[in-house]
Amino acid sequence: RRDQEGRSGQPKMMTIGLHCRIIGKPGRAQGLIQFLDYVRAVGKDVWVARRDQIAKHWYENFYPEGHGEAPAVELVGFKG
């Protein structure tokens, strides 16, 4: 099952891009609600993050070798 990939040491990332003119249509909004309900049901095993949070995580944890230490990164304009 997909929810077991991370537990087995092979986590995956899924990106969902939302555009207000598309997701604002009733049928599509309902699909998003169903997906978010599924994510909530999975619980703490799923990290829901903005793209800047994902970038910071990868930058801090997977900075390429041979380029020195990763400089400090600060998220500007966001709380949390």
Side-chain angles (χ1 to χ4, degrees):
R1 291 181 31 177
R2 289 191 175 115
D3 60 339
Q4 295 172 342
E5 291 172 342
R7 290 185 205 113
S8 69
Q10 299 178 1
K12 305 291 186 267
M13 183 172 90
M14 178 177 179
T15 301
I16 300 176
L18 303 175
H19 188 282
C20 59
R21 290 187 185 172
I22 296 172
I23 199 62
K25 296 184 179 192
R28 293 192 175 130
Q30 185 60 37
L32 177 61
I33 290 167
Q34 290 172 353
F35 172 75
L36 292 174
D37 287 343
Y38 170 77
V39 168
R40 282 189 208 106
V42 173
K44 294 181 180 182
D45 290 337
V46 175
W47 176 37
V48 178
R50 298 182 314 258
R51 64 179 131 188
D52 63 311
Q53 293 170 316
I54 295 167
K56 183 178 181 194
H57 171 78
W58 282 91
Y59 187 75
E60 290 174 346
N61 294 282
F62 303 101
Y63 194 75
E65 292 185 30
H67 293 277
E69 285 209 23
V73 175
E74 182 180 334
L75 298 178
V76 179
F78 294 104
K79 293 182 180 180

